[in-house]
Amino acid sequence: MKNINTLGQLKASGYKTKSIKDELRENLREKIKTGKPVFEGVHGFENTVIPELERAILSRHNINLLGLRGQAKTRLARKMVELLDEYIPFVTGSEINDDPLNPISRFAKDLIAEKGNETPISWLHRDERFFEKLATPDVTVADLIGDVDPIKAANLKLSYADDRVIHFGMIPRANRCIFVINELPDLQARIQVALFNILQEGDIQIRGFKLRMPLDMQFIFTANPEDYTNRGSIVTPLKDRIGSQILTHYPETIAIARTITEQEAKLDQNQSDVVYVPSLAKDILEQISFEARDSEYIDNKSGVSARMSITAFENLISTAERRALIAGKEKTALRLSDFIGIIPAITGKVELVYEGEQEGADAVAQSLIGSAIRTLFTEIFPKIEKLEKPDEKTPYSDIVDWFFAESGFELLDDASDADYQEILDEVTPLNTLLKKYQPQLAKEDLYFMKEFVLWGLVEYKKLSKDRFAQGSQFRDIYGSYISKF
């Protein structure tokens, strides 16, 4: 097809015009029939969002993706480009990608009337058929629809009454393309009103010019549920013209969240080679986001973006990498104490309520890390009861007794691997506990798991941990009370 360069050749080839919605529908039908993945790289929506999106495409609907930040709304929209035909023909020189067999602009109609079958045509690749606009309060009708261009009028020596002086906005220029408006409620109501006819009748009106231009568009809107009351609203007649509204959501399991983070984190091969990351560390990282979404200190209406886990993972790897560089080592293993390095990634991604502001962003971030460890601890080791009988022997009694007798130790953030391992090896009851409850533990995960046990006992108030500038101090909880007096 790309060798076809004139309208006559296009007609002779038997090419049939299709609307963009029919393109999407037919290509989706083919993918579903053959079992090919439709939205590859989007995880956790297989049984919820994606079926609804497929039904909307099959119904030829314009779509509103409604969900909190970081729920892959824009990614879904961009993935729809893969459902378009690889190339489509358009009249060469057309500002609005006129279909040679069904032109709608004055330019294309006049050119075809003049040259007939010799009208030159070009081919537009599907990657060039995606347009995206962030709705901000300063967006104007001229930006989206168009306006009279006085410079064009002067150059062409035309009066303002001639429709050839119109400069088309983003939407007409995206004719036969996917057009995404992100954060639709942020668009002023009068601008939303300007979209009515484009969505329903195909009319556009610019400075008194009423043009019957049946634009061929696939509109996708994105919005945050809270935006309906906080920053603005989607006007009711516009909502009525959007065929399907689809609710997105956050990952429902740690396994899905891990898949997303590993896919999206920007790590080079050198970082992957230098830092060994235990599987448990990845679970803790994702659990932090789950804890944040349930935290009383965080505004759950604004959401906790999946980007928090992604940037936190990057920070986590960089923390371990930096330590290895300081020590002059080629390789290192991630430590639980490295999680102190993800605090900047957390504090920048969450909206605190009043109580959270009183606690402080850093304190909230540290409490989230602690809560994640607490949640996962009882999935691996025996539960620690709140009330225990005096002198009752528990799986952790020997560890607690060791700290009572030895008065604890300090674990420095930048300690060498040898020093780090030597300190943890001194707590001999840890070996007994791990042999009993984690007999299949991989050798490379041993020291991370030892530190995890200590952090877990801190969260369950069996040991105390005090943070200082260079690291943390672990002590017997009663000894820490006595030292204060």
Side-chain angles (χ1 to χ4, degrees):
M1 282 289 187
K2 286 179 66 180
N3 295 322
I4 296 173
N5 299 312
T6 65
L7 178 58
Q9 292 174 339
L10 186 67
K11 290 177 178 177
S13 72
Y15 178 83
K16 302 284 187 187
T17 294
K18 287 187 293 186
S19 72
I20 186 171
K21 288 183 168 68
D22 284 331
E23 272 184 65
L24 292 166
R25 172 183 160 80
E26 290 180 17
N27 292 328
L28 175 61
R29 280 169 52 86
E30 190 61 32
K31 284 204 170 192
I32 292 174
K33 282 181 183 177
T34 56
K36 293 180 180 177
V38 180
F39 294 93
E40 202 166 4
V42 177
H43 305 283
F45 290 169
E46 292 82 2
N47 301 313
T48 53
V49 177
I50 289 177
E52 291 185 356
L53 193 52
E54 289 174 347
R55 287 192 284 269
I57 294 170
L58 292 172
S59 300
R60 304 179 182 87
H61 284 174
N62 292 313
I63 299 163
N64 183 26
L65 296 172
L66 186 65
L68 297 173
R69 56 184 175 173
Q71 291 187 349
K73 299 187 293 295
T74 304
R75 176 179 282 269
L76 284 170
R78 289 175 177 166
K79 281 287 179 182
M80 283 180 63
V81 171
E82 297 172 8
L83 292 175
L84 296 172
D85 292 345
E86 187 173 7
Y87 287 96
I88 59 167
F90 69 98
V91 176
T92 301
S94 169
E95 292 181 90
I96 62 171
N97 306 318
D98 275 286
D99 183 346
L101 301 180
N102 186 27
I104 60 174
S105 74
R106 178 166 173 174
F107 166 83
K109 289 177 180 177
D110 288 350
L111 186 64
I112 291 172
E114 178 189 344
K115 297 195 174 183
N117 286 337
E118 295 304 312
T119 302
I121 66 169
S122 302
W123 293 85
L124 189 66
H125 191 264
R126 61 184 167 212
D127 289 344
E128 299 175 288
R129 297 175 66 194
F130 181 87
F131 287 75
E132 187 175 358
K133 178 62 179 172
L134 176 63
T136 54
D138 63 333
V139 173
T140 65
V141 173
D143 294 334
L144 293 180
I145 312 299
D147 203 349
V148 170
D149 185 349
I151 297 175
K152 183 184 285 189
N155 288 340
L156 297 176
K157 298 181 179 178
L158 298 171
S159 76
Y160 288 172
D162 194 309
D163 62 5
R164 285 174 291 179
V165 303
I166 292 174
H167 172 77
F168 291 113
M170 289 186 69
I171 291 177
R173 288 174 178 273
N175 182 40
R176 303 174 74 201
C177 300
I178 294 171
F179 192 85
V180 179
I181 298 181
N182 284 316
E183 308 301 338
L184 181 60
D186 283 350
L187 208 59
Q188 293 183 44
R190 64 184 179 84
I191 312 299
Q192 294 185 36
V193 169
L195 299 176
F196 287 0
N197 277 17
I198 294 175
L199 285 173
Q200 197 68 35
E201 289 85 15
D203 293 340
I204 63 172
Q205 189 165 342
I206 300 172
R207 295 286 183 181
F209 291 102
K210 186 175 181 182
L211 307 175
R212 179 62 182 168
M213 296 182 68
L215 296 173
D216 181 19
M217 311 275 294
Q218 172 65 56
F219 279 99
I220 303 174
F221 305 99
T222 72
N224 186 310
E226 284 304 300
D227 289 345
Y228 287 116
T229 55
N230 284 356
R231 298 201 302 253
S233 63
I234 301 177
V235 297
T236 304
L238 181 58
K239 282 195 285 185
D240 184 54
R241 286 165 166 80
I242 300 172
S244 292
Q245 178 171 279
I246 299 170
L247 299 178
T248 58
H249 57 82
Y250 288 121
E252 295 174 341
T253 66
I254 284 181
I256 294 171
R258 274 183 59 167
T259 302
I260 294 169
T261 299
E262 290 170 6
Q263 172 182 284
E264 299 299 320
K266 294 179 176 61
L267 303 176
D268 60 33
Q269 190 59 45
N270 184 58
Q271 288 175 299
S272 302
D273 292 341
V274 169
V275 183
Y276 169 75
V277 184
S279 179
L280 177 57
K282 296 178 181 179
D283 288 347
I284 294 172
L285 185 78
E286 302 303 339
Q287 186 64 37
I288 290 169
S289 292
F290 282 75
E291 299 291 337
R293 290 170 193 141
D294 292 331
S295 173
E296 61 181 346
Y297 297 126
I298 292 171
D299 183 3
N300 57 16
K301 292 180 181 178
S302 71
V304 177
S305 170
R307 286 183 283 270
M308 188 179 87
S309 295
I310 297 165
T311 54
F313 186 59
E314 292 165 351
N315 265 13
L316 189 61
I317 300 301
S318 296
T319 303
E321 181 186 25
R322 176 181 177 276
R323 190 184 64 248
L325 291 171
I326 291 171
K329 299 294 183 182
E330 293 295 324
K331 291 183 180 295
T332 190
L334 195 70
R335 304 173 188 174
L336 195 48
S337 49
D338 290 332
F339 273 77
I340 203 71
I342 73 171
I343 289 177
I346 298 174
T347 55
K349 293 286 192 297
V350 295
E351 295 288 336
L352 301 179
V353 296
Y354 176 76
E355 292 80 1
E357 296 286 357
Q358 295 297 105
E359 289 289 322
D362 277 14
V364 171
Q366 291 185 47
S367 73
L368 292 176
I369 297 171
S371 297
I373 292 169
R374 182 184 178 91
T375 299
L376 294 177
F377 187 81
T378 52
E379 295 181 8
I380 301 173
F381 296 104
K383 185 178 179 181
I384 298 176
E385 301 295 341
K386 288 185 178 179
L387 297 176
E388 295 175 352
K389 296 177 182 178
D391 301 323
E392 180 183 12
K393 189 77 171 175
T394 72
Y396 312 102
S397 297
D398 290 343
I399 299 173
V400 173
D401 291 344
W402 185 92
F403 276 89
F404 186 80
E406 300 294 332
S407 72
F409 58 74
E410 292 180 352
L411 205 56
L412 300 180
D413 294 339
D414 293 332
S416 68
D417 287 349
D419 290 343
Y420 169 76
Q421 293 172 10
E422 182 181 351
I423 290 170
L424 290 175
D425 283 340
E426 290 177 2
V427 190
T428 51
L430 281 172
N431 296 324
T432 306
L433 181 78
L434 294 180
K435 283 180 182 177
K436 183 174 181 180
Y437 295 104
Q438 291 292 308
Q440 306 300 321
L441 184 66
K443 182 181 179 182
E444 53 268 30
D445 293 350
L446 176 63
Y447 290 98
F448 186 89
M449 190 65 78
K450 284 185 175 184
E451 193 179 357
F452 176 73
V453 172
L454 298 182
W455 281 61
L457 292 178
V458 168
E459 289 302 315
Y460 280 95
K461 306 293 190 265
K462 295 298 180 183
L463 296 176
S464 73
K465 178 172 68 68
D466 296 312
R467 178 73 192 167
F468 60 96
Q470 290 82 30
S472 298
Q473 183 180 49
F474 290 85
R475 291 187 291 177
D476 169 68
I477 193 165
Y478 300 111
S480 65
Y481 290 151
I482 294 169
S483 67
K484 292 178 182 178
F485 296 97

